[in-house]
Structures are given as structure tokens and as C-alpha cells.
Amino acid sequence: MPETQLHIATKAIHAGQFPDPSTGAIMPPVYMTSTYVQSEPAVHQGYEYSRSGNPTRTALEANLAGLENGKYGLAFASGLAAENTLLHMLKSGDHIVSARDVYGGTYRLFDRVWKQYGISFTTVDTTDVMQIKNAIQPNTRLVWLESPSNPLLTCTDIEAAVEIAHQAGVKVVVDNTFATPVLQQPLGFGADIVLHSVTKYLGGHSDVIGGALVVDDDELHEQLRFLQNSTGSVPGPMDCFLVLRGTKTLAVRMRQHCENAMIVANFLQQHPEVDRVFYPGLADNESHAIASKQMTGFGGMVSVELNGDLERNRRFASSTKLFALAESLGGVESLINHPASMTHASIPKAEREKGGLKDTLMRLSVGIEDAQDLIADLDQAIARSRHAIVKKNQKPSACENGLGQLNRAC
Ligand code: P1T
């Protein structure tokens, strides 16, 4: 059966995977080598130097391409390395229309790095696709979507956004980190480039940093492959192996993440001390209709604002026992994060608030533990946050011990 016709759970395990030709090893070996012996100058077996290509990375790139139903996958040292490499396709004077609600590091890369090289960007609410249309200029080269978005979990109609962008000759990038290819495949909606922080669900175990791009177009692939090699932010073979180990269980993990997140979102929505719950799976969520149209599940991320002030919400984040207070998401274990002071601190407060991201918002990465234990943990943390001042970490924080300048959240 052609690989493209296989179901996603099968592709997760088999796409791009072959027994090692020299030993029959069923798992791709970790090719810990920087270079490859050539029989004559420029005569080799397909690999010259591991920045340009490494067999473990090839196995991962083929797997990622298969998962996203794309022709080509390219792996990078981090999600931001993938973004940065992609941005090298632009030149001074070019313009990007970006979703306003994006990962803080993505905004920082646009605003603090690429702006100084003459790349301008406009942020809009991409859930209203007319805002994309109105923001496109003659020099716009990319429309940058994140759906569901980080951390407000809004969903953009990818097909409609692609239609508008393509009419203007503009390429569309979709950061598919939160959905994963199990729940959403943007290339199928006409997107040009799919982006991942594979650090998250694809890796799935909070033990590796990585990124990826997946494309269908031959020319685009050639351009990105050239930039991958020329700028050099590639992952090492061990990291590729770890991500490949992660993707094999992606389909089953996502099923459980979705189920648990729905239970958590319903619990929070019914709690009298909760102000607002953000989860596209809830029927009254603004993105519910779009998410239902283009996703096969609603994902494992839930954001929440409790009644009361920032201090109350901060105490909540410090009071959970199973939900660890940490940046990142998508691992098997549950995490809680305060975007305003952690993952999104590099977005100016005014810009955050323009997009509806309040200081009181807390983001949950709902893991695959037993959902009843997760609810019990949230319930006790809500109760404790009413009064107690709880410090999870007895050691002084980086902000308090003089290392603040190393911590972007300080
Ligand atoms: O951390 P890195 O692998 O470089 O990926 C960056 C990135 C890109 N896109 C999205 C949607 C992301 O969420 C991230 C990283 N996000 C976090 C670390 C976080 O806690 O939100």
C-alpha cells in the first residue's frame, strides 16, 4: 500500500523507517559521525558531512514528512532554529503578516532580531481572515499562522487564510506545534510550509529540543535545504533518535491528551471560582466551529483565569502538585505556566493585552496521567490559592539570586 494512504497511527511508526541495511536493526542507528569516507574526491554513498546530512536525521525527516502528508521534512536544532532558517528566505524590505497570539519567542525573533535587518511585520487577529487581507502589502512575503495559538488557543480558518494569501501571491506558514499532524494537517488546506517545535508533542517526553519544517513544493524544499546547510542549525543524531522514538507513540498520546484536556476544561468551566476557560473543544469557545472543521481533536492545551487578581492566579500556579510549574508543553507529564512572566514575557504588555492575553492567564499542558488525579490537583490548588502563599521552590529564584540577567522572565 502506498505510504500516503496509510492511517496516521501507522505512519507514525513506519513512515520513512527501514531496517538498517548493514545489520537489519529495526530501529534507525544513531549515526554518531561528523564525516563520511569518500572513495574518490566527491564520490560517496550519499553522505559527506553531518551538517549537510546524517542517516538518523534522514530517518526523522522522512518520518515528519510522512506524518504531515508532505513531500519533504527538514529537521532543526530547535523550533526557533526552524523559524530562523525559514526567515532567511526573506530579504530587507520584505513584510510578514503574523498572528498576534503566537509563542513569545516567535514574536521576539520578528521584533528584536529580524526587524533590525529590514524585515517588517504586522500582527493581526488572524481568526478574522479579513484582517489578514487588509494587512497584506505589496511587499508581504509570508502570512504566519499559529493554530491553535499559544496561549489563547484561538483557531484560524487555514483554508480561508490560504485563499486570501495566495490571491496576493503570498506564502502561508502554519505553526502546527499545538495541533500536531495527528489532529491537523495544514498542507492539506493549501498551506505552503508547516512548522513545528518538535520539543513539544512530537518529542513528547520533555527530553529533547528540536524543530521541523515540512513542505510539498520542490523549489521551496531546495531553498530551505540550502539554508539548512548554509546556516547550520541542525539537530544531532541522538536528538533525532529521541524525536523518532517520540513520534511512534504520537497518535496514542494525542488521543489521551485530548481526552484529559476535555475533562480538565469541563471541570474548570464548572468551577465557581473560575472566570474564564480557553479550550477550543468547549462548545461555547469562539474557535469551536473552526476547530471542529479542520481538526480531528481539540488538543491537550487549556488556559484559564481564576476569579481574583494576579496574586491569586500566581498562588494557584505555585500550589499545584502534579502540574509542574515550568515552560514548555506537550510532554506526557502535566505542566502549568504563567505566560505573562514566563513564555510570553518578551511580548510588550500592551501588545499582549491587545490580543486578549491578560496577566492573570495561566496555561495548562494537560498530560496523560489519570484525569481524575489531575482534576483533584487543580481542585486543591484552587482552594489553596484563596489564601495561602505557597512557594514551590525553596531555593531563591534566578531573579532573586542575582542571576536575573540570564533569565528572560526577570
Ligand atoms: O522552544 P523551541 O523548540 O525553539 O520552539 C519554539 C516554539 C515555536 N512554536 C510554538 C508554538 C512554541 O510553543 C514554541 C516554544 N514554546 C514554548 C517553549 C512554550 O512553553 O510555549
Side-chain angles (χ1 to χ4, degrees), residues 77-81 83 102-106 146 148 150 175 177-178 195-200 209-211 326-329 337 343-344 363 408:
S78 67
L80 284 181
E83 297 182 16
V102 291
Y103 168 54
T106 300
E146 212 182 88
N150 183 358
D175 188 329
T177 300
F178 273 34
L195 160 70
H196 280 284
S197 168
V198 306
T199 313
K200 310 298 175 340
I209 297 281
E327 303 205 5
S328 205
L329 58 112
N337 161 57
T343 51
H344 292 68
R363 189 191 72 187
R408 67 177 180 211

PDB file of all heavy atoms in Angstrom, residues 77-81 83 102-106 146 148 150 175 177-178 195-200 209-211 326-329 337 343-344 363 408, ligand 1:
ATOM      1  N   ALA A  77      17.659  22.303  15.006  1.00  0.00           N
ATOM      2  CA  ALA A  77      18.104  22.164  16.388  1.00  0.00           C
ATOM      3  C   ALA A  77      17.060  22.618  17.395  1.00  0.00           C
ATOM      4  O   ALA A  77      17.138  22.268  18.579  1.00  0.00           O
ATOM      5  CB  ALA A  77      19.403  22.959  16.589  1.00  0.00           C
ATOM      6  N   SER A  78      16.089  23.432  16.975  1.00  0.00           N
ATOM      7  CA  SER A  78      15.000  23.872  17.858  1.00  0.00           C
ATOM      8  C   SER A  78      13.875  24.409  16.971  1.00  0.00           C
ATOM      9  O   SER A  78      14.081  24.618  15.761  1.00  0.00           O
ATOM     10  CB  SER A  78      15.479  24.977  18.813  1.00  0.00           C
ATOM     11  OG  SER A  78      15.775  26.164  18.091  1.00  0.00           O
ATOM     12  N   GLY A  79      12.734  24.665  17.581  1.00  0.00           N
ATOM     13  CA  GLY A  79      11.646  25.283  16.819  1.00  0.00           C
ATOM     14  C   GLY A  79      12.073  26.648  16.308  1.00  0.00           C
ATOM     15  O   GLY A  79      11.803  27.017  15.154  1.00  0.00           O
ATOM     16  N   LEU A  80      12.751  27.408  17.167  1.00  0.00           N
ATOM     17  CA  LEU A  80      13.191  28.747  16.741  1.00  0.00           C
ATOM     18  C   LEU A  80      14.260  28.663  15.657  1.00  0.00           C
ATOM     19  O   LEU A  80      14.329  29.532  14.787  1.00  0.00           O
ATOM     20  CB  LEU A  80      13.693  29.550  17.944  1.00  0.00           C
ATOM     21  CG  LEU A  80      12.577  30.095  18.841  1.00  0.00           C
ATOM     22  CD1 LEU A  80      13.159  30.897  20.005  1.00  0.00           C
ATOM     23  CD2 LEU A  80      11.597  30.974  18.066  1.00  0.00           C
ATOM     24  N   ALA A  81      15.090  27.631  15.680  1.00  0.00           N
ATOM     25  CA  ALA A  81      16.080  27.454  14.605  1.00  0.00           C
ATOM     26  C   ALA A  81      15.367  27.194  13.278  1.00  0.00           C
ATOM     27  O   ALA A  81      15.786  27.699  12.226  1.00  0.00           O
ATOM     28  CB  ALA A  81      17.015  26.296  14.937  1.00  0.00           C
ATOM     29  N   GLU A  83      12.364  28.318  12.542  1.00  0.00           N
ATOM     30  CA  GLU A  83      11.781  29.618  12.162  1.00  0.00           C
ATOM     31  C   GLU A  83      12.849  30.538  11.595  1.00  0.00           C
ATOM     32  O   GLU A  83      12.654  31.211  10.577  1.00  0.00           O
ATOM     33  CB  GLU A  83      11.148  30.285  13.390  1.00  0.00           C
ATOM     34  CG  GLU A  83       9.988  29.500  13.963  1.00  0.00           C
ATOM     35  CD  GLU A  83       9.323  30.193  15.144  1.00  0.00           C
ATOM     36  OE1 GLU A  83       9.537  31.411  15.347  1.00  0.00           O
ATOM     37  OE2 GLU A  83       8.591  29.512  15.882  1.00  0.00           O
ATOM     38  N   VAL A 102       0.969  34.488  19.323  1.00  0.00           N
ATOM     39  CA  VAL A 102       1.978  33.472  18.969  1.00  0.00           C
ATOM     40  C   VAL A 102       2.899  33.267  20.169  1.00  0.00           C
ATOM     41  O   VAL A 102       2.921  34.088  21.096  1.00  0.00           O
ATOM     42  CB  VAL A 102       2.852  33.885  17.751  1.00  0.00           C
ATOM     43  CG1 VAL A 102       2.050  33.895  16.471  1.00  0.00           C
ATOM     44  CG2 VAL A 102       3.564  35.215  17.985  1.00  0.00           C
ATOM     45  N   TYR A 103       3.683  32.210  20.117  1.00  0.00           N
ATOM     46  CA  TYR A 103       4.699  31.970  21.152  1.00  0.00           C
ATOM     47  C   TYR A 103       5.577  33.221  21.307  1.00  0.00           C
ATOM     48  O   TYR A 103       5.972  33.826  20.297  1.00  0.00           O
ATOM     49  CB  TYR A 103       5.533  30.741  20.758  1.00  0.00           C
ATOM     50  CG  TYR A 103       6.783  30.564  21.589  1.00  0.00           C
ATOM     51  CD1 TYR A 103       6.705  30.519  22.984  1.00  0.00           C
ATOM     52  CD2 TYR A 103       8.033  30.464  20.995  1.00  0.00           C
ATOM     53  CE1 TYR A 103       7.845  30.378  23.747  1.00  0.00           C
ATOM     54  CE2 TYR A 103       9.178  30.313  21.753  1.00  0.00           C
ATOM     55  CZ  TYR A 103       9.080  30.275  23.135  1.00  0.00           C
ATOM     56  OH  TYR A 103      10.213  30.146  23.888  1.00  0.00           O
ATOM     57  N   GLY A 104       5.883  33.595  22.547  1.00  0.00           N
ATOM     58  CA  GLY A 104       6.656  34.813  22.804  1.00  0.00           C
ATOM     59  C   GLY A 104       7.992  34.843  22.081  1.00  0.00           C
ATOM     60  O   GLY A 104       8.456  35.898  21.631  1.00  0.00           O
ATOM     61  N   GLY A 105       8.629  33.692  21.947  1.00  0.00           N
ATOM     62  CA  GLY A 105       9.932  33.630  21.277  1.00  0.00           C
ATOM     63  C   GLY A 105       9.817  33.911  19.784  1.00  0.00           C
ATOM     64  O   GLY A 105      10.751  34.426  19.163  1.00  0.00           O
ATOM     65  N   THR A 106       8.680  33.577  19.194  1.00  0.00           N
ATOM     66  CA  THR A 106       8.444  33.856  17.770  1.00  0.00           C
ATOM     67  C   THR A 106       8.325  35.362  17.580  1.00  0.00           C
ATOM     68  O   THR A 106       8.944  35.943  16.680  1.00  0.00           O
ATOM     69  CB  THR A 106       7.154  33.129  17.300  1.00  0.00           C
ATOM     70  OG1 THR A 106       7.340  31.733  17.500  1.00  0.00           O
ATOM     71  CG2 THR A 106       6.851  33.407  15.844  1.00  0.00           C
ATOM     72  N   GLU A 146      -0.589  30.546  13.643  1.00  0.00           N
ATOM     73  CA  GLU A 146      -0.391  29.566  14.711  1.00  0.00           C
ATOM     74  C   GLU A 146      -1.791  29.114  15.097  1.00  0.00           C
ATOM     75  O   GLU A 146      -2.588  29.925  15.581  1.00  0.00           O
ATOM     76  CB  GLU A 146       0.309  30.247  15.894  1.00  0.00           C
ATOM     77  CG  GLU A 146       1.225  29.343  16.674  1.00  0.00           C
ATOM     78  CD  GLU A 146       1.858  30.037  17.865  1.00  0.00           C
ATOM     79  OE1 GLU A 146       1.244  30.020  18.943  1.00  0.00           O
ATOM     80  OE2 GLU A 146       2.953  30.601  17.721  1.00  0.00           O
ATOM     81  N   PRO A 148      -3.984  25.703  16.831  1.00  0.00           N
ATOM     82  CA  PRO A 148      -4.381  26.648  17.870  1.00  0.00           C
ATOM     83  C   PRO A 148      -3.191  27.488  18.316  1.00  0.00           C
ATOM     84  O   PRO A 148      -2.045  27.042  18.259  1.00  0.00           O
ATOM     85  CB  PRO A 148      -4.873  25.762  19.014  1.00  0.00           C
ATOM     86  CG  PRO A 148      -5.184  24.445  18.398  1.00  0.00           C
ATOM     87  CD  PRO A 148      -4.246  24.301  17.245  1.00  0.00           C
ATOM     88  N   ASN A 150      -0.833  30.029  20.810  1.00  0.00           N
ATOM     89  CA  ASN A 150      -0.172  29.940  22.124  1.00  0.00           C
ATOM     90  C   ASN A 150      -0.191  31.320  22.768  1.00  0.00           C
ATOM     91  O   ASN A 150       0.460  32.224  22.248  1.00  0.00           O
ATOM     92  CB  ASN A 150       1.271  29.472  21.882  1.00  0.00           C
ATOM     93  CG  ASN A 150       2.066  29.270  23.157  1.00  0.00           C
ATOM     94  OD1 ASN A 150       1.576  29.500  24.244  1.00  0.00           O
ATOM     95  ND2 ASN A 150       3.308  28.836  22.999  1.00  0.00           N
ATOM     96  N   ASP A 175       2.294  27.262  12.037  1.00  0.00           N
ATOM     97  CA  ASP A 175       2.930  26.621  13.184  1.00  0.00           C
ATOM     98  C   ASP A 175       1.918  25.616  13.733  1.00  0.00           C
ATOM     99  O   ASP A 175       0.889  25.994  14.306  1.00  0.00           O
ATOM    100  CB  ASP A 175       3.307  27.676  14.233  1.00  0.00           C
ATOM    101  CG  ASP A 175       4.142  27.084  15.361  1.00  0.00           C
ATOM    102  OD1 ASP A 175       3.949  25.898  15.672  1.00  0.00           O
ATOM    103  OD2 ASP A 175       4.965  27.818  15.943  1.00  0.00           O
ATOM    104  N   THR A 177       2.473  23.247  15.966  1.00  0.00           N
ATOM    105  CA  THR A 177       3.003  22.629  17.190  1.00  0.00           C
ATOM    106  C   THR A 177       1.892  22.159  18.127  1.00  0.00           C
ATOM    107  O   THR A 177       1.951  21.052  18.663  1.00  0.00           O
ATOM    108  CB  THR A 177       3.905  23.641  17.926  1.00  0.00           C
ATOM    109  OG1 THR A 177       4.985  24.004  17.067  1.00  0.00           O
ATOM    110  CG2 THR A 177       4.460  23.073  19.216  1.00  0.00           C
ATOM    111  N   PHE A 178       0.880  23.008  18.338  1.00  0.00           N
ATOM    112  CA  PHE A 178      -0.150  22.664  19.331  1.00  0.00           C
ATOM    113  C   PHE A 178      -1.078  21.563  18.820  1.00  0.00           C
ATOM    114  O   PHE A 178      -1.580  20.770  19.596  1.00  0.00           O
ATOM    115  CB  PHE A 178      -0.975  23.909  19.699  1.00  0.00           C
ATOM    116  CG  PHE A 178      -0.368  24.730  20.818  1.00  0.00           C
ATOM    117  CD1 PHE A 178       1.002  24.838  20.965  1.00  0.00           C
ATOM    118  CD2 PHE A 178      -1.173  25.403  21.726  1.00  0.00           C
ATOM    119  CE1 PHE A 178       1.569  25.588  21.987  1.00  0.00           C
ATOM    120  CE2 PHE A 178      -0.625  26.151  22.757  1.00  0.00           C
ATOM    121  CZ  PHE A 178       0.751  26.249  22.888  1.00  0.00           C
ATOM    122  N   LEU A 195       5.327  24.254  10.262  1.00  0.00           N
ATOM    123  CA  LEU A 195       6.411  24.461  11.223  1.00  0.00           C
ATOM    124  C   LEU A 195       6.088  23.717  12.514  1.00  0.00           C
ATOM    125  O   LEU A 195       4.928  23.673  12.929  1.00  0.00           O
ATOM    126  CB  LEU A 195       6.515  25.970  11.480  1.00  0.00           C
ATOM    127  CG  LEU A 195       7.218  26.459  12.739  1.00  0.00           C
ATOM    128  CD1 LEU A 195       8.711  26.207  12.645  1.00  0.00           C
ATOM    129  CD2 LEU A 195       6.949  27.941  12.937  1.00  0.00           C
ATOM    130  N   HIS A 196       7.125  23.158  13.142  1.00  0.00           N
ATOM    131  CA  HIS A 196       6.939  22.510  14.445  1.00  0.00           C
ATOM    132  C   HIS A 196       8.066  22.837  15.402  1.00  0.00           C
ATOM    133  O   HIS A 196       9.240  22.863  15.003  1.00  0.00           O
ATOM    134  CB  HIS A 196       6.936  20.977  14.315  1.00  0.00           C
ATOM    135  CG  HIS A 196       5.634  20.425  13.854  1.00  0.00           C
ATOM    136  ND1 HIS A 196       4.551  20.321  14.681  1.00  0.00           N
ATOM    137  CD2 HIS A 196       5.237  19.969  12.644  1.00  0.00           C
ATOM    138  CE1 HIS A 196       3.535  19.806  14.001  1.00  0.00           C
ATOM    139  NE2 HIS A 196       3.929  19.597  12.762  1.00  0.00           N
ATOM    140  N   SER A 197       7.692  23.045  16.651  1.00  0.00           N
ATOM    141  CA  SER A 197       8.649  22.862  17.720  1.00  0.00           C
ATOM    142  C   SER A 197       8.505  21.391  18.089  1.00  0.00           C
ATOM    143  O   SER A 197       7.527  21.007  18.744  1.00  0.00           O
ATOM    144  CB  SER A 197       8.301  23.757  18.920  1.00  0.00           C
ATOM    145  OG  SER A 197       9.078  23.351  20.027  1.00  0.00           O
ATOM    146  N   VAL A 198       9.448  20.556  17.651  1.00  0.00           N
ATOM    147  CA  VAL A 198       9.307  19.116  17.959  1.00  0.00           C
ATOM    148  C   VAL A 198       9.657  18.824  19.415  1.00  0.00           C
ATOM    149  O   VAL A 198       9.451  17.718  19.911  1.00  0.00           O
ATOM    150  CB  VAL A 198      10.132  18.208  17.005  1.00  0.00           C
ATOM    151  CG1 VAL A 198       9.810  18.490  15.553  1.00  0.00           C
ATOM    152  CG2 VAL A 198      11.606  18.307  17.244  1.00  0.00           C
ATOM    153  N   THR A 199      10.162  19.871  20.086  1.00  0.00           N
ATOM    154  CA  THR A 199      10.377  19.819  21.537  1.00  0.00           C
ATOM    155  C   THR A 199       9.098  19.389  22.261  1.00  0.00           C
ATOM    156  O   THR A 199       9.151  18.818  23.347  1.00  0.00           O
ATOM    157  CB  THR A 199      10.729  21.248  22.026  1.00  0.00           C
ATOM    158  OG1 THR A 199      11.718  21.813  21.160  1.00  0.00           O
ATOM    159  CG2 THR A 199      11.210  21.256  23.447  1.00  0.00           C
ATOM    160  N   LYS A 200       7.949  19.653  21.645  1.00  0.00           N
ATOM    161  CA  LYS A 200       6.663  19.526  22.330  1.00  0.00           C
ATOM    162  C   LYS A 200       6.068  18.130  22.097  1.00  0.00           C
ATOM    163  O   LYS A 200       6.679  17.153  22.456  1.00  0.00           O
ATOM    164  CB  LYS A 200       5.752  20.660  21.866  1.00  0.00           C
ATOM    165  CG  LYS A 200       6.419  22.049  21.949  1.00  0.00           C
ATOM    166  CD  LYS A 200       6.787  22.379  23.367  1.00  0.00           C
ATOM    167  CE  LYS A 200       7.551  23.656  23.613  1.00  0.00           C
ATOM    168  NZ  LYS A 200       8.282  24.320  22.595  1.00  0.00           N
ATOM    169  N   ILE A 209      15.217  19.141  22.601  1.00  0.00           N
ATOM    170  CA  ILE A 209      14.821  20.384  21.925  1.00  0.00           C
ATOM    171  C   ILE A 209      14.997  20.143  20.423  1.00  0.00           C
ATOM    172  O   ILE A 209      16.044  19.636  19.996  1.00  0.00           O
ATOM    173  CB  ILE A 209      15.729  21.557  22.363  1.00  0.00           C
ATOM    174  CG1 ILE A 209      15.592  21.855  23.861  1.00  0.00           C
ATOM    175  CG2 ILE A 209      15.472  22.814  21.524  1.00  0.00           C
ATOM    176  CD1 ILE A 209      14.395  22.644  24.267  1.00  0.00           C
ATOM    177  N   GLY A 210      13.987  20.495  19.641  1.00  0.00           N
ATOM    178  CA  GLY A 210      14.112  20.310  18.191  1.00  0.00           C
ATOM    179  C   GLY A 210      13.044  21.072  17.437  1.00  0.00           C
ATOM    180  O   GLY A 210      12.061  21.543  18.016  1.00  0.00           O
ATOM    181  N   GLY A 211      13.253  21.204  16.152  1.00  0.00           N
ATOM    182  CA  GLY A 211      12.280  21.893  15.307  1.00  0.00           C
ATOM    183  C   GLY A 211      12.177  21.226  13.956  1.00  0.00           C
ATOM    184  O   GLY A 211      13.005  20.373  13.613  1.00  0.00           O
ATOM    185  N   ALA A 326       6.402  25.144  34.939  1.00  0.00           N
ATOM    186  CA  ALA A 326       7.541  25.156  34.016  1.00  0.00           C
ATOM    187  C   ALA A 326       7.112  25.638  32.642  1.00  0.00           C
ATOM    188  O   ALA A 326       5.942  25.518  32.266  1.00  0.00           O
ATOM    189  CB  ALA A 326       8.122  23.744  33.873  1.00  0.00           C
ATOM    190  N   GLU A 327       8.071  26.175  31.884  1.00  0.00           N
ATOM    191  CA  GLU A 327       7.827  26.493  30.484  1.00  0.00           C
ATOM    192  C   GLU A 327       7.733  25.170  29.711  1.00  0.00           C
ATOM    193  O   GLU A 327       8.031  24.116  30.228  1.00  0.00           O
ATOM    194  CB  GLU A 327       8.977  27.339  29.931  1.00  0.00           C
ATOM    195  CG  GLU A 327       9.180  28.612  30.733  1.00  0.00           C
ATOM    196  CD  GLU A 327       9.837  29.743  29.957  1.00  0.00           C
ATOM    197  OE1 GLU A 327      10.070  29.591  28.754  1.00  0.00           O
ATOM    198  OE2 GLU A 327      10.094  30.784  30.573  1.00  0.00           O
ATOM    199  N   SER A 328       7.351  25.287  28.454  1.00  0.00           N
ATOM    200  CA  SER A 328       7.198  24.156  27.540  1.00  0.00           C
ATOM    201  C   SER A 328       5.855  23.445  27.718  1.00  0.00           C
ATOM    202  O   SER A 328       5.020  23.836  28.559  1.00  0.00           O
ATOM    203  CB  SER A 328       8.358  23.161  27.623  1.00  0.00           C
ATOM    204  OG  SER A 328       8.447  22.453  26.387  1.00  0.00           O
ATOM    205  N   LEU A 329       5.647  22.430  26.937  1.00  0.00           N
ATOM    206  CA  LEU A 329       4.358  21.746  26.855  1.00  0.00           C
ATOM    207  C   LEU A 329       4.523  20.482  26.025  1.00  0.00           C
ATOM    208  O   LEU A 329       5.564  20.249  25.421  1.00  0.00           O
ATOM    209  CB  LEU A 329       3.341  22.674  26.168  1.00  0.00           C
ATOM    210  CG  LEU A 329       3.734  23.137  24.756  1.00  0.00           C
ATOM    211  CD1 LEU A 329       2.816  22.550  23.695  1.00  0.00           C
ATOM    212  CD2 LEU A 329       3.717  24.648  24.659  1.00  0.00           C
ATOM    213  N   ASN A 337       1.954  27.012  33.430  1.00  0.00           N
ATOM    214  CA  ASN A 337       2.851  28.091  33.023  1.00  0.00           C
ATOM    215  C   ASN A 337       2.108  29.416  33.142  1.00  0.00           C
ATOM    216  O   ASN A 337       0.902  29.482  32.901  1.00  0.00           O
ATOM    217  CB  ASN A 337       3.265  27.808  31.562  1.00  0.00           C
ATOM    218  CG  ASN A 337       3.814  29.022  30.849  1.00  0.00           C
ATOM    219  OD1 ASN A 337       4.774  29.635  31.295  1.00  0.00           O
ATOM    220  ND2 ASN A 337       3.201  29.393  29.736  1.00  0.00           N
ATOM    221  N   THR A 343       6.675  32.361  29.348  1.00  0.00           N
ATOM    222  CA  THR A 343       6.848  32.117  27.901  1.00  0.00           C
ATOM    223  C   THR A 343       6.551  33.302  27.000  1.00  0.00           C
ATOM    224  O   THR A 343       6.971  33.325  25.848  1.00  0.00           O
ATOM    225  CB  THR A 343       5.923  30.958  27.457  1.00  0.00           C
ATOM    226  OG1 THR A 343       4.596  31.260  27.922  1.00  0.00           O
ATOM    227  CG2 THR A 343       6.382  29.654  28.035  1.00  0.00           C
ATOM    228  N   HIS A 344       5.788  34.291  27.495  1.00  0.00           N
ATOM    229  CA  HIS A 344       5.400  35.424  26.645  1.00  0.00           C
ATOM    230  C   HIS A 344       5.880  36.752  27.226  1.00  0.00           C
ATOM    231  O   HIS A 344       5.378  37.820  26.855  1.00  0.00           O
ATOM    232  CB  HIS A 344       3.883  35.415  26.409  1.00  0.00           C
ATOM    233  CG  HIS A 344       3.430  34.257  25.570  1.00  0.00           C
ATOM    234  ND1 HIS A 344       3.482  32.954  26.015  1.00  0.00           N
ATOM    235  CD2 HIS A 344       2.977  34.201  24.292  1.00  0.00           C
ATOM    236  CE1 HIS A 344       3.056  32.148  25.058  1.00  0.00           C
ATOM    237  NE2 HIS A 344       2.742  32.877  23.996  1.00  0.00           N
ATOM    238  N   ARG A 363      -1.578  28.859  31.754  1.00  0.00           N
ATOM    239  CA  ARG A 363      -1.703  27.879  30.677  1.00  0.00           C
ATOM    240  C   ARG A 363      -1.364  26.487  31.196  1.00  0.00           C
ATOM    241  O   ARG A 363      -0.346  26.311  31.865  1.00  0.00           O
ATOM    242  CB  ARG A 363      -0.732  28.270  29.552  1.00  0.00           C
ATOM    243  CG  ARG A 363      -0.907  27.467  28.279  1.00  0.00           C
ATOM    244  CD  ARG A 363       0.244  27.706  27.328  1.00  0.00           C
ATOM    245  NE  ARG A 363       1.456  27.060  27.801  1.00  0.00           N
ATOM    246  CZ  ARG A 363       2.664  27.206  27.230  1.00  0.00           C
ATOM    247  NH1 ARG A 363       2.818  27.999  26.197  1.00  0.00           N
ATOM    248  NH2 ARG A 363       3.721  26.570  27.709  1.00  0.00           N
ATOM    249  N   ARG A 408      15.136  35.450  31.069  1.00  0.00           N
ATOM    250  CA  ARG A 408      14.371  36.449  30.336  1.00  0.00           C
ATOM    251  C   ARG A 408      13.084  36.822  31.052  1.00  0.00           C
ATOM    252  O   ARG A 408      12.466  37.826  30.757  1.00  0.00           O
ATOM    253  CB  ARG A 408      14.063  35.948  28.930  1.00  0.00           C
ATOM    254  CG  ARG A 408      13.134  34.776  28.940  1.00  0.00           C
ATOM    255  CD  ARG A 408      12.799  34.357  27.560  1.00  0.00           C
ATOM    256  NE  ARG A 408      11.898  33.224  27.717  1.00  0.00           N
ATOM    257  CZ  ARG A 408      11.831  32.240  26.873  1.00  0.00           C
ATOM    258  NH1 ARG A 408      12.558  32.221  25.823  1.00  0.00           N
ATOM    259  NH2 ARG A 408      11.005  31.251  27.081  1.00  0.00           N
TER     260      ARG A 408
HETATM  261  O1  P1T B   1      11.413  26.044  22.045  1.00  0.00           O
HETATM  262  P1  P1T B   1      11.619  25.739  20.594  1.00  0.00           P
HETATM  263  O2  P1T B   1      11.769  24.301  20.287  1.00  0.00           O
HETATM  264  O3  P1T B   1      12.665  26.598  19.971  1.00  0.00           O
HETATM  265  O4  P1T B   1      10.223  26.113  19.849  1.00  0.00           O
HETATM  266  C1  P1T B   1       9.731  27.423  19.757  1.00  0.00           C
HETATM  267  C2  P1T B   1       8.229  27.389  19.642  1.00  0.00           C
HETATM  268  C3  P1T B   1       7.646  27.548  18.397  1.00  0.00           C
HETATM  269  N1  P1T B   1       6.312  27.496  18.228  1.00  0.00           N
HETATM  270  C4  P1T B   1       5.480  27.299  19.276  1.00  0.00           C
HETATM  271  C5  P1T B   1       4.011  27.264  19.043  1.00  0.00           C
HETATM  272  C6  P1T B   1       6.001  27.113  20.552  1.00  0.00           C
HETATM  273  O5  P1T B   1       5.147  26.907  21.567  1.00  0.00           O
HETATM  274  C7  P1T B   1       7.409  27.172  20.763  1.00  0.00           C
HETATM  275  C8  P1T B   1       8.017  27.022  22.108  1.00  0.00           C
HETATM  276  N2  P1T B   1       7.113  27.219  23.171  1.00  0.00           N
HETATM  277  C9  P1T B   1       7.415  27.134  24.497  1.00  0.00           C
HETATM  278  C10 P1T B   1       8.635  26.848  24.980  1.00  0.00           C
HETATM  279  C11 P1T B   1       6.280  27.365  25.401  1.00  0.00           C
HETATM  280  O6  P1T B   1       6.337  27.000  26.588  1.00  0.00           O
HETATM  281  O7  P1T B   1       5.269  27.907  24.929  1.00  0.00           O
END
